[in-house]
Amino acid sequence: MRRKLAAGNWKMNGDAAMLGELADLAGAQGAQGDDAPEILICPPHTLLAHAVAVTDGSPVGIGGQDCHPAEKGAHTGDVSAQMIAATGAGAVIVGHSERRADHHEDNDTVRAKVEAAWAAGLTAILCIGESEEERMGDDTLQIIADQLHASAPDGTTGDNTVIAYEPIWAIGTGRVPTMEQIVETHDMLRDELVGRFGMDAMTIRLLYGGSVKPANAAEIFTADNVDGALVGGASLKAADFQPIINALAAS
Ligand code: PGA
């Protein structure tokens, strides 16, 4: 049984006022049954410690958006997984397509970041996804299977890692794959994980990401191998994110 996960990625957005949104979100969570979805918000590094304080005692967990592969050292402007863990955060996103594009991160770098996250005791939220060109070229399944294998280290388990499938062309665009495409990709990823890690991989959670909104979340969550969502724009306001959490809880 995989616990569902609603994860929010604030990207380079977030100020003191948005901590109020986070407090609202934390305060809105009722009693948590055994099958209540896990809730995670990943604000920018500058807000991590504040976000941990604001959500303290609530079911809302906090994560970072990236980490450096090294524990410490001469890497101006970077933040290590240990530093993120020291704020009280419990997870970190790695390999987001915006990092892969803006910072030229390849699969080897992303794999090293996953291992750094584990070493710091953080859950790695490992992102993969195809470009529009790859989708048009009918290469999607091969591309994301290759990314998965090259970015996920040996030792990947349902306890230390979550996989987020995010088609690049669906991020921030309002476009989402068809349900057939969502089912096909997530089923394939599950098969690949089981092929490599055995039946233990049945516990690894698979998230869909890319223009998840209150209006489309319930349908997306009908897919068997979609265990939740990684949400950008619609995670910035509690009033948008809460209906997505509710849809996940009801799925
Ligand atoms: P979006 O972003 O929900 O705004 O499309 C998703 C993501 O990039 O994680």
Side-chain angles (χ1 to χ4, degrees):
M1 189 51 192
R2 298 182 292 272
R3 186 165 179 211
K4 297 165 188 171
L5 171 61
N9 172 12
W10 281 9
K11 308 192 180 186
M12 201 169 71
N13 301 291
D15 53 17
M18 276 178 63
L19 290 172
E21 288 291 332
L22 195 53
D24 287 349
L25 184 73
Q29 307 313 311
Q32 301 287 295
D34 282 350
D35 55 356
E38 182 180 347
I39 304 167
L40 180 74
I41 293 287
C42 301
H45 291 150
T46 49
L47 291 183
L48 279 177
H50 299 292
V52 167
V54 160
T55 55
D56 188 36
S58 86
V60 179
I62 298 299
Q65 296 176 13
D66 176 55
C67 64
H68 193 278
E71 194 178 329
K72 59 182 175 182
H75 303 288
T76 303
D78 279 313
V79 170
S80 73
Q82 274 76 9
M83 292 168 171
I84 293 170
T87 68
V92 63
I93 298 169
V94 290
H96 191 282
S97 58
E98 288 154 13
R99 298 286 318 174
R100 291 179 188 257
D102 295 356
H103 298 270
H104 312 292
E105 293 186 7
D106 61 14
N107 290 322
D108 289 344
T109 304
V110 173
R111 195 174 63 249
K113 290 183 176 203
V114 173
E115 286 172 337
W118 295 349
L122 299 175
T123 301
I125 303 185
L126 167 58
C127 303
I128 56 173
E130 83 285 3
S131 67
E132 178 143 43
E133 198 183 348
E134 289 160 347
R135 169 60 74 176
M136 302 297 278
D138 249 351
D139 294 332
T140 298
L141 296 182
Q142 191 62 52
I143 292 283
I144 63 175
D146 289 351
Q147 273 182 22
L148 177 72
H149 288 300
S151 313
D154 293 339
T156 296
T157 70
D159 286 334
N160 61 25
T161 305
V162 173
I163 308 293
Y165 166 62
E166 301 199 301
I168 297 168
W169 51 273
I171 294 176
T173 60
R175 296 165 58 203
V176 287
T178 63
M179 277 314 292
E180 195 183 338
Q181 290 170 331
I182 289 178
V183 168
E184 179 185 46
T185 45
H186 288 76
D187 286 357
M188 182 279 290
L189 291 169
R190 175 72 59 208
D191 287 347
E192 291 292 323
L193 288 168
V194 169
R196 177 166 168 200
F197 299 110
M199 286 312 281
D200 286 353
M202 292 302 290
T203 64
I204 300 174
R205 292 178 288 180
L206 293 174
L207 307 184
Y208 168 77
S211 295
V212 176
K213 307 287 176 208
N216 61 21
E219 187 181 12
I220 292 169
F221 297 147
T222 60
D224 283 348
N225 278 308
V226 172
D227 302 309
L230 181 56
V231 183
S235 71
L236 297 174
K237 288 194 173 357
D240 291 331
F241 198 46
Q242 188 63 51
I244 295 174
I245 297 168
N246 295 346
L248 188 57
S251 69

